[in-house]
Amino acid sequence: SSGINAEWLLRPGFSVISVAVRVFTGMLSYLWCMCLVEGVRCWLPDHFQLVNSLVFGTAGYIGYAIGSFVGTFCYELLGFHAPYLVIGVYCIIVLIFSCMILPRDRNPISSFHRLQEEKSVSTCTSSEDGLEVFPCDELSPLVGLPILGQTLVNIAGGYMVVVTVPFLMECCEVSATQASSIVTAYSVVLAAGYFFAGVISQHQLLSRGTQAIIGGLLVTLGLLLMYPSPTLPVLYYNSHYVGYLAIMLVGLGDPFVVSVTISSMEAVQTDLCKRSLSAKQRSKISSLWLMGWLFGYYFGMFLAGVFLDTVPFQLGAWIVATASLAGVGVFAATKLVEVCMKRRQPEKVAPEEVMAVKGLPGI
């Protein structure tokens, strides 16, 4: 037989190599994503939130769907090694393309934004009104609040990808293909959700805090609706139908949170903590945002693997939903502090109004 020996796949050496390769590809993926964030920030600073959502959300999940199809097709048609050869050729093409078009530095392309960046770097927060002066390269620890909120909400996405198929096969007795169709639909909804969330955040149709809170609540509701208790038989035995509504809520809610996290971190740095924001600091914020996003998603997968053998589906869903609600609480607390600080700041009075009060002619 020309097939692969299953015993060879189970040898410790193969497992070690597989783990090493996966770690290496994860490092490369992170480096590539950082280049994308900085490229979007440099080239399109006026549309950063929208384009960033399209690149990392819409295009990313469409790429996952295409990659799964191409990988399966290559494996079935050409064998086990074909997908790796396709990946190698693709990486070479991406390398050449990236060297040709990616910016060489962190500065915005337009002269206006470049001037704004230089002004931000050269001028630190003054000590007026009792505010303390901080170094320009120092990020406030409070920048971690939006990351924490995002990470807690993102756990639900990774958890659902792992748990949904076995849950539906057990409670509804559906086939693996039918159950996995909901997971496939989840990727499609996420791709669309990131587009809508990017448009909303770019045009500021909702405030950052409000959008994040709504997104976290949608994720929590969708998670609980996906795994109903047997005491609710109408929902429980029809979970393979109700699940489509649940993934729509999560698929819309998760992008609502992710798309505003970077701008929320920058607002905490400048508005809440009164510190400067340079290009180098924005790069650090992008890196932290990416780490929080990936950690939340993969930690959700890890929890799913642990919960599958230890707790019922519904209890695991409630635990993850509690984490999502905690993320909502973090965003709500941050928004409350911002609102309180804005109310404490004295309103600026125009020079003409000051002259009028003093009885002097205006300028």
Side-chain angles (χ1 to χ4, degrees):
S1 168
S2 59
I4 300 174
N5 189 349
E7 296 181 358
W8 183 80
L9 292 176
L10 297 177
R11 292 179 181 178
F14 180 80
S15 301
V16 172
I17 293 175
S18 299
V19 171
V21 170
R22 188 66 187 92
V23 171
F24 182 69
T25 55
M27 293 172 57
L28 293 179
S29 176
Y30 178 81
L31 292 174
W32 170 240
C33 289
M34 272 303 301
C35 291
L36 285 178
V37 176
E38 293 305 303
V40 171
R41 190 188 293 279
C42 290
W43 282 359
L44 301 168
D46 292 331
H47 304 85
F48 172 71
Q49 296 187 52
L50 174 60
V51 178
N52 196 51
S53 296
L54 291 176
V55 169
F56 284 93
T58 304
Y61 285 103
I62 291 175
Y64 290 156
I66 296 176
S68 300
F69 172 77
V70 173
T72 303
F73 177 78
C74 291
Y75 172 75
E76 295 290 341
L77 185 65
L78 302 175
F80 180 75
H81 298 287
Y84 295 95
L85 295 175
V86 172
I87 292 173
V89 173
Y90 170 76
C91 288
I92 294 175
I93 296 174
V94 170
L95 174 62
I96 297 173
F97 184 71
S98 300
C99 292
M100 292 174 59
I101 69 168
L102 285 182
R104 297 295 187 268
D105 52 37
R106 298 186 178 96
N107 296 321
I109 290 178
S110 66
S111 58
F112 171 77
H113 286 281
R114 188 181 299 273
L115 179 62
Q116 293 297 107
E117 290 290 336
E118 294 174 354
K119 182 178 179 181
S120 176
V121 173
S122 60
T123 306
C124 290
T125 305
S126 65
S127 57
E128 296 178 0
D129 301 325
L131 296 179
E132 191 173 354
V133 179
F134 293 93
C136 285
D137 290 335
E138 184 178 352
L139 281 179
S140 169
L142 295 180
V143 169
L145 288 177
I147 305 174
L148 177 60
Q150 173 191 261
T151 302
L152 291 172
V153 174
N154 287 154
I155 293 174
Y159 180 84
M160 288 184 63
V161 169
V162 176
V163 173
T164 298
V165 173
F167 169 74
L168 293 178
M169 293 178 64
E170 178 178 312
C171 75
C172 301
E173 299 181 354
V174 298
S175 64
T177 302
Q178 185 177 356
S180 61
S181 66
I182 291 185
V183 179
T184 303
Y186 177 57
S187 298
V188 176
V189 174
L190 279 172
Y194 273 100
F195 170 76
F196 290 117
V199 171
I200 292 174
S201 58
Q202 179 65 43
H203 295 283
Q204 299 180 356
L205 302 180
L206 295 172
S207 67
R208 291 182 299 267
T210 301
Q211 182 172 333
I213 292 171
I214 292 175
L217 292 176
L218 289 176
V219 170
T220 304
L221 179 61
L223 189 66
L224 297 178
L225 192 61
M226 185 73 244
Y227 310 103
S229 171
T231 57
L232 302 172
V234 176
L235 295 178
Y236 182 77
Y237 293 107
N238 292 282
S239 296
H240 53 303
Y241 298 119
V242 179
Y244 287 101
L245 174 60
I247 60 104
M248 286 185 64
L249 295 176
V250 179
L252 290 175
D254 187 83
F256 269 46
V257 175
V258 175
S259 62
V260 296
T261 301
I262 289 183
S263 59
S264 297
M265 295 167 66
E266 294 178 350
V268 168
Q269 173 75 3
T270 57
D271 301 337
L272 188 61
C273 300
K274 303 301 180 182
R275 301 193 183 189
S276 62
L277 186 63
S278 64
K280 185 176 181 179
Q281 291 167 332
R282 286 195 174 98
S283 180
K284 292 179 180 179
I285 286 176
S286 299
S287 180
L288 292 172
W289 166 76
L290 192 58
M291 289 173 60
W293 184 16
L294 296 177
F295 176 80
Y297 184 79
Y298 288 111
F299 184 71
M301 289 185 170
F302 170 77
L303 283 182
V306 173
F307 288 170
L308 279 176
D309 296 328
T310 56
V311 300
F313 292 109
Q314 292 75 21
L315 178 58
W318 274 100
I319 294 174
V320 177
T322 302
S324 181
L325 278 178
V328 173
V330 172
F331 282 110
T334 306
K335 180 178 175 61
L336 180 62
V337 172
E338 290 181 356
V339 171
C340 292
M341 289 194 64
K342 288 181 179 179
R343 290 181 177 179
R344 290 177 57 186
Q345 292 177 355
E347 296 183 0
K348 295 183 179 180
V349 182
E352 293 81 0
E353 297 181 5
V354 176
M355 292 293 188
V357 172
K358 294 182 178 181
L360 299 176
I363 298 176

